[in-house]
């Protein structure tokens, strides 16, 4: 109970801090226009002020209410899938599409409880492989390729 | 010490490897990057060129798109690539010479090996057909009569359309008495020109023909064939370097490309541009072909880069 | 143009014409139905093929793929809560709850019928009233557009399921995200912190796919996995029966009208129409109370409007030479390639071609019904694969789809980040549709506000004094914002 309350409040405080930091950053830059409404920061500042105001109201509401955040049934699975997805989206640019996709598919399928090895390998190789064959070698609009070969 | 030896060895190996690469070039598909979305003018031009380029160079050539930031995202990304001759981008006057001078992008005048220029169209200033202005003299008179009233449009700050307007009105000394209304792209600007929310707009002839518009002057070194009665900017009294403005574009590779590879690419580009297929394509699409070889294009590009600095200052960007 | 119709129809009913229409629509539906792959990517895939075709088939192929993918987007939105495009985001709101109730087939049935009717009506409007509607588009200058966008923003309140405060907050975050990058008037960089990748701003689709599709995968990973029952029980489209339409026809008609009108105005787009129509449906439909909990009228509002936009967007494109959205811009460029100059004389000079395009659009919408039903039957077994495979495939497809939107791997990082932030926010009860609305409408709101201020020399009140259309829309916006607030304050349940 204590933990879920905390998560709710923490996320809201996080959103508020981001807004305040962004708002503060708007005063660090110099812009050419002297006219207030045509300053590049005029519109973002208005939005950020609204964000901060609404964020504060939402935070107060959260502190007062005793609503619960949905329970996470499996922290490890959630963490594995989340981290794997983040790594995956980060390395496609440098390592190409195929290899990271195979890696991600294996990790993700394992996390979701697929245990039959041949099924796992088949899916992890076939889906990205088919996409590479389709886009890189049939349609001529290539996905990023690895450092080893331009073929995948 | 050991490190130094290793570095030397590595350098030798790289030189040797690239020498071999130049010999056998091209041995895999060549990527022609359009720095804009699929289906745009630049993209279609490249797609028109690609098959002929591919035939001339003897390897597969495909077009890929990397859009965003008025073309600077693709240019910035390409700039960091190894100059291996497999990655070329079609860059316009704005992407290569204007954006790097107004934005803090990681590329500049020395970041490229120009391969060839392909197209160039002069821009023109035009008004709606039902506009009272018949000549630039009318425009000057109207602006002086009602300072701060008349509005010119552009397709965005720093775009060729914006610079056309700046060249015209800064060149005539009346820009401070006018308002600038930027749009996102030429389409919305043309709509507002038709609707009357802006009075002036400037773009290439191809775009001008999209509506019922009347050109008042052209930023070319001579009058254009299709509008023999429209004066050049020089005739109107605009002085260099603001008197000529072309929307040009060509192929660029990252700086440091091997001369042999450059030569091969240049030859392929020339053959592709001269091919019947591409000539037919250009005639259909209204593309004004303007071929320059690598050396000539390099000189032209550098001259434009410096000349446009004046223009950027006048635009207050 | 009407006189050219018979000849145009004979072009369409030729072997090539029929092939292009059918295959294009099928391809569009299939691509659109894949999570992460939306209209933009579908059109990019088909574009190279159109270059070698003659003009009429080329444009019709683009149109078929486009219309098909807009419809296909609703399939993924309803069945797995992952809209492929922003315009299907509103469809999720009621479609997915219906699917969870076990009525996936019926939800898709409503979406199909609403899409088809929306598309057909807009095609008819296109054929008979394009010039008149084009004149309407010219009435909408920056100031009028600003007021319309302001009205659109008020939908945030309607689509905020749960808490209005959190919805508004999500909306503000969306608007803020859209201001990152180049300033639209002066070109100066904002919130880029020296990173050139941010010069182009955050890509809308990358954020949408992140907060909807990717965060959905994370949410499912955090829940108990059902290993026995299938993901959704779905056996194909179930068309709503006649008597189910009782009390819903008015909502449908209104949604189609909203879609048509908004489609005509360049620079607003299908997502705007879908959200405004959804908000209006919630306000005026007699089933409005059930919106957000799986109410068919919610699906009808969104789908009828976003498909009607497709036809509406062709009006300024064909009548004025001004593209209504990114896809019609591609069509115009394709026309140029074939030596045809788009512009006011386009219809006059090429009556057969334009008639073929308009009639083709009508036929495409007719085809959506049988093809949609057929394809959903074929696809039903695929949806029965285990959750593990489905989730993995969704992430991989999203990576492919987002990569091809701009060809920029940086967008993948944005998608990943948006997925995590979306996951955290959704867990705290933040609705994500307002974030999408903010991001879709934010840029136009700022641009037109500042354009208006340039035109009026910095006077905001002058927006409404000299512009009657802007005044009416502005008042409607104020009313739409205040009425629900007042109502909920009376009940003492703000937020």
């Amino acid at each position: 109970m204590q933990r879920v309350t905390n998560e709710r409040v923490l996320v809201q405080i996080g959103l508020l801090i981001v807004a305040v930091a962004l708002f503060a950053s708007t005063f660090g830059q110099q812009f050419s226009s002297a006219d207030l409404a045509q300053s590049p920061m005029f519109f973002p500042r208005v939005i950020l002020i609204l964000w901060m105001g609404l964020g504060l109201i939402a935070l107060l509401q959260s502190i007062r209410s005793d609503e619960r955040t949905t329970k996470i049934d499996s922290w490890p699975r959630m963490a594995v899938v989340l981290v794997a997805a983040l790594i995956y989206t980060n390395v496609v640019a440098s390592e190409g599409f195929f290899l990271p996709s195979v890696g991600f598919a294996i990790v993700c399928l394992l996390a979701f409880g697929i245990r039959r090895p041949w099924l796992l390998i088949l899916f992890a190789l076939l889906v990205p492989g088919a996409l590479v064959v389709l886009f890189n070698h049939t349609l001529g609009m290539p996905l990023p390729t690895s450092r080893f070969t331009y073929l995948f | 010490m050991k490190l130094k030896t290793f570095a030397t060895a590595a350098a030798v190996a790289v030189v040797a490897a690239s020498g071999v690469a130049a010999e056998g070039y091209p041995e895999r598909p060549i990527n022609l990057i359009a720095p804009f979305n699929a289906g745009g003018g630049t993209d279609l031009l490249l797609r028109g060129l690609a098959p002929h380029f591919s035939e001339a160079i003897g390897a597969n050539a495909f077009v890929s798109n990397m859009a965003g930031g008025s073309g600077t995202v693709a240019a910035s990304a390409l700039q960091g690539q190894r100059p291996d001759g497999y990655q070329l981008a079609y860059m316009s006057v704005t992407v290569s010479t204007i954006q790097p001078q107004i934005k803090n992008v990681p590329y500049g005048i020395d970041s490229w090996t120009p391969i060839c220029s392909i197209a160039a169209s002069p821009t023109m200033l035009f008004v709606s057909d039902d506009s009272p202005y018949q000549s630039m003299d009318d425009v000057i008179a109207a602006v002086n009569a009602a300072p701060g009233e008349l509005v010119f449009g552009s397709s965005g700050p720093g775009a060729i359309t914006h610079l056309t307007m700046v060249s015209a009105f800064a060149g005539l000394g009346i820009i401070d008495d006018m308002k600038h209304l930027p749009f996102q792209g030429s389409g919305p600007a043309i709509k507002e020109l038709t609707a009357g929310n802006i009075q002036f707009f400037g773009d290439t002839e191809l775009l001008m023909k999209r509506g019922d518009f009347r050109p008042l002057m052209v930023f070319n070194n001579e009058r254009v064939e299709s509008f023999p009665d429209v004066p050049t900017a020089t005739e109107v009294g605009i002085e260099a370097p603001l008197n000529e403005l072309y929307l040009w574009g060509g192929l660029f590779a990252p700086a440091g490309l091997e001369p042999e590879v450059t030569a091969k690419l240049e030859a392929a580009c020339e053959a592709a541009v001269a091919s019947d297929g591409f000539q037919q394509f250009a005639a259909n699409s209204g593309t004004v072909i303007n071929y320059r070889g690598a050396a000539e294009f390099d000189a032209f590009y550098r001259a434009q880069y410096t000349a446009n600095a004046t223009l950027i200052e006048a635009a207050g960007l | 143009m009407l006189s050219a119709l018979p000849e145009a129809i004979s072009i369409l009913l030729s072997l090539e014409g029929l092939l292009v229409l059918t295959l294009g629509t099928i391809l569009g539906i299939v691509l659109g139905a894949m999570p992460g792959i939306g209209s933009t990517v579908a059109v990019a895939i088909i574009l190279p093929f159109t270059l070698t075709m003659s003009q009429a088939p080329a444009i019709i192929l683009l149109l078929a793929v486009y219309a098909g993918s807009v419809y296909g987007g609703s399939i993924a939105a309803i069945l797995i809560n992952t809209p492929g495009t922003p315009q299907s985001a509103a469809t999720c709101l009621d479609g997915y709850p219906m699917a969870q109730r076990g009525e996936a087939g019926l939800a898709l049935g409503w979406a199909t019928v609403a899409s088809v009717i929306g598309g057909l009506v807009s095609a008819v409007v296109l054929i008979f009233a394009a010039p008149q509607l084009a004149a309407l588009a010219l009435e909408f200058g920056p100031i009028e557009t600003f007021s319309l966008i302001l009205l659109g923003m008020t939908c945030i309140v309607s689509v905020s399921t749960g808490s209005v405060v959190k919805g508004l907050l999500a909306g503000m975050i969306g608007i803020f995200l859209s201001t990152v990058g180049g300033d639209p008037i002066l070109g100066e960089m904002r919130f880029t912190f020296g990173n050139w990748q941010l010069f182009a701003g955050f890509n809308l689709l990358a954020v949408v796919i992140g907060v909807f599709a990717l965060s959905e995968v994370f949410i499912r990973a955090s829940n108990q996995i059902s290993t026995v029952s299938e993901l959704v029980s779905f056996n194909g489209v179930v068309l709503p029966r006649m008597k189910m339409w009782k009390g819903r026809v008015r909502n449908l008609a209104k949604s189609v009208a909203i879609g048509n009108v908004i489609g005509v105005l360049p620079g607003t787009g299908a997502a705007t129409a879908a959200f405004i129509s959804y908000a209006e449906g919630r306000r005026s439909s007699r089933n409005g109370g059930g919106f957000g909990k799986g109410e068919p009228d919610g699906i009808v509002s969104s789908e009828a409007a976003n498909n009607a936009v497709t036809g509406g967007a062709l009006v300024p494109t064909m009548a004025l030479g001004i593209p209504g959205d990114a896809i019609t811009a591609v069509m115009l460029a394709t026309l140029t390639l074939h030596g045809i100059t788009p512009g006011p004389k386009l219809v006059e000079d090429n009556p057969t071609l334009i008639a073929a395009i308009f009639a083709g659009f009508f036929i495409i919408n007719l085809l959506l019904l049988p093809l949609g039903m057929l394809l959903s039957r074929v696809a039903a077994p695929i949806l029965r694969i285990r959750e593990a495979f489905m989730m993995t495939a969704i992430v991989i497809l999203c990576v492919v789809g987002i990569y091809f939107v701009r060809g920029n791997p940086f967008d993948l990082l944005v998608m990943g980040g948006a997925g995590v932030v979306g996951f955290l926010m959704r867990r705290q009860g933040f609705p994500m549709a307002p974030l999408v609305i903010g991001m879709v409408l934010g840029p136009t709101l700022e641009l037109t506000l500042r354009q208006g201020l340039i035109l009026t020399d910095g006077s905001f009140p002058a927006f409404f004094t000299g512009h009657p259309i802007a005044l009416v829309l502005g008042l409607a916006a104020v009313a739409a914002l205040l009425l629900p607030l007042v109502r909920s304050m009376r009940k003492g349940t703000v937020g």
Side-chain angles (χ1 to χ4, degrees), chain C residues 218-254:
Chain C
F218 297 155
I219 285 177
R220 293 194 187 218
S222 71
N223 289 345
Q224 195 73 256
I225 295 174
S226 55
T227 38
V228 270
S229 76
E230 55 219 29
L231 213 52
V232 274
S233 63
F234 177 65
N235 295 309
V237 173
V238 180
L239 290 181
R241 281 190 304 277
M242 232 25 201
K243 66 173 186 204
M244 290 171 149
W245 279 100
K246 208 162 164 262
R248 301 188 194 280
V249 177
R250 240 191 57 174
N251 183 48
L252 174 73
K254 215 175 206 174

Side-chain angles (χ1 to χ4, degrees), chain C residues 41-334:
Chain C
V41 179
V43 168
I45 289 174
I46 206 69
L47 186 72
F49 299 97
T50 65
L51 296 185
T52 52
M53 305 168 80
S54 56
Q55 28 178 274
I59 301 285
I60 287 164
L61 181 59
L62 284 171
L63 206 53
V65 170
Y66 176 40
S69 66
V70 170
Y71 166 71
S74 66
I75 299 176
I78 289 172
L79 296 181
I80 31 187
N81 205 17
T82 56
T85 49
Q87 67 250 35
S88 330
T91 309
C92 286
L93 296 175
D94 285 285
Y96 186 60
M98 267 187 91
Q100 280 178 312
R101 268 204 317 252
E103 299 176 321
L106 187 60
L108 259 180
W110 285 108
T112 309
V113 176
S115 295
V116 169
I117 292 176
L120 287 180
V121 173
S122 83
V124 172
V125 170
L126 190 63
I127 293 170
F128 291 99
Q132 291 79 357
L133 282 169
L136 173 74
L138 286 179
E139 290 295 317
F140 267 72
I143 293 175
E144 286 78 10
T145 309
F146 170 77
S147 301
L148 177 73
I149 297 297
L150 207 58
L151 179 61
M153 282 284 181
T154 62
C155 325
I156 289 179
V157 179
S158 314
V159 300
S160 298
T161 40
S163 154
V164 175
V165 174
K166 283 180 182 163
L168 287 171
L169 180 53
M172 290 306 142
I173 294 174
I175 301 176
F176 173 78
L177 289 178
S178 77
T179 67
V180 174
D183 169 85
I185 300 288
L186 300 164
E188 283 167 272
M189 288 301 149
R190 305 184 294 194
F191 307 107
T192 54
F193 305 105
N195 182 348
W196 57 264
Q197 287 281 14
L198 279 177
F199 285 4
F202 289 116
N203 182 258
L204 169 69
L205 285 169
V207 174
V208 169
I209 297 300
V211 298
F212 277 101
L214 207 54
S215 73
E216 181 73 22
V217 173
F218 297 155
I219 285 177
R220 293 194 187 218
S222 71
N223 289 345
Q224 195 73 256
I225 295 174
S226 55
T227 38
V228 270
S229 76
E230 55 219 29
L231 213 52
V232 274
S233 63
F234 177 65
N235 295 309
V237 173
V238 180
L239 290 181
R241 281 190 304 277
M242 232 25 201
K243 66 173 186 204
M244 290 171 149
W245 279 100
K246 208 162 164 262
R248 301 188 194 280
V249 177
R250 240 191 57 174
N251 183 48
L252 174 73
K254 215 175 206 174
S255 308
V256 172
I258 290 173
N260 262 306
V261 171
I262 291 181
V264 169
L265 310 172
T268 37
T272 316
F275 280 118
I276 290 187
S277 167
Y278 185 87
E280 174 56 24
R282 183 175 192 167
R283 190 191 67 78
S284 66
S285 157
R286 70 166 74 162
N287 306 309
F291 271 48
K293 299 173 202 125
E295 165 58 45
D297 269 7
I299 301 174
V300 169
S301 296
S302 163
E303 282 301 310
N306 75 26
N307 240 39
V309 166
T310 326
L314 285 173
V315 169
T317 313
M318 297 303 163
L320 300 171
I322 300 157
D325 57 18
I327 312 292
T328 44
V330 173
M331 289 175 201
L332 277 192
T334 312

Side-chain angles (χ1 to χ4, degrees), chain B residues 74-114:
Chain B
S76 302
L78 180 65
Q79 162 275 140
Q81 300 281 320
R82 213 153 44 87
D84 55 7
Y86 294 106
Q87 307 253 20
L88 307 177
Y90 181 92
M91 291 200 275
S92 66
V93 53
T94 45
V95 179
S96 62
T97 75
I98 292 162
Q99 293 289 344
Q101 302 194 60
I102 61 177
K103 283 184 191 160
N104 187 20
V105 290
Y107 65 95
I109 189 167
D110 294 321
S111 303
W112 311 112
T113 309

Side-chain angles (χ1 to χ4, degrees), chain B residues 38-304:
Chain B
T42 303
D43 172 69
L44 291 174
L45 177 81
L46 265 186
R47 287 180 197 272
L49 184 76
H52 310 294
F53 186 79
S54 167
E55 197 179 317
I57 199 138
N60 213 348
F62 62 89
V63 177
S64 70
N65 302 87
M66 189 170 188
S70 312
T72 58
V73 168
S76 302
L78 180 65
Q79 162 275 140
Q81 300 281 320
R82 213 153 44 87
D84 55 7
Y86 294 106
Q87 307 253 20
L88 307 177
Y90 181 92
M91 291 200 275
S92 66
V93 53
T94 45
V95 179
S96 62
T97 75
I98 292 162
Q99 293 289 344
Q101 302 194 60
I102 61 177
K103 283 184 191 160
N104 187 20
V105 290
Y107 65 95
I109 189 167
D110 294 321
S111 303
W112 311 112
T113 309
I115 306 289
C116 62
S117 81
I118 293 171
S121 313
T123 63
M124 13 178 77
L125 181 150
F126 50 92
V127 294
S128 174
D129 221 10
D130 51 18
S131 150
Y133 315 116
Q134 300 293 336
S135 70
M136 287 313 288
D137 287 337
D138 293 352
V139 176
I140 298 171
V143 171
N144 286 331
E149 290 290 306
L150 296 179
V151 189
F152 62 83
S154 77
S155 57
I160 190 81
T161 54
H162 183 200
L163 299 178
T164 304
M165 295 286 97
V166 169
S167 295
F169 299 122
L172 295 170
I174 52 175
I175 195 161
D176 292 336
D177 291 326
M178 303 185 71
K179 292 198 264 195
H180 170 212
L181 201 61
F183 292 87
Q184 305 267 316
S186 284
I190 282 187
K191 180 193 144 233
E192 294 308 326
L193 189 64
T194 312
N197 279 322
I198 60 174
Q199 284 81 46
F200 312 101
F201 188 61
D203 211 316
T204 56
E205 186 181 331
L206 190 63
L207 228 98
M208 204 244 351
K209 285 186 177 157
R210 279 216 189 163
D212 294 320
F213 304 128
R214 179 170 64 233
L216 294 185
M217 67 172 159
V218 54
F219 289 85
N220 200 11
N221 57 359
E222 56 183 22
R223 295 194 175 199
V224 290
E225 245 173 71
S226 40
F227 294 97
D229 298 331
V230 176
T232 64
T234 318
E235 290 173 56
V236 172
I238 295 172
E239 285 166 18
L242 302 185
N243 61 339
E244 286 179 30
L245 196 57
Y246 304 92
L247 179 57
W248 55 260
L251 292 177
F252 287 84
L257 191 64
E258 300 252 333
E260 293 89 344
V261 177
T262 310
K264 281 186 184 174
L265 285 168
E266 181 190 6
C269 180
E270 184 170 12
V273 170
S275 69
D276 290 342
F278 187 70
Q279 293 283 337
Q280 182 62 43
F281 169 88
N284 278 344
S285 60
T287 308
V288 184
I289 293 181
N290 185 306
Y291 175 81
R292 285 185 183 85
E296 199 191 341
F297 184 37
D298 190 40
F300 173 77
Y301 153 71
R302 286 171 186 277
Q304 282 273 302

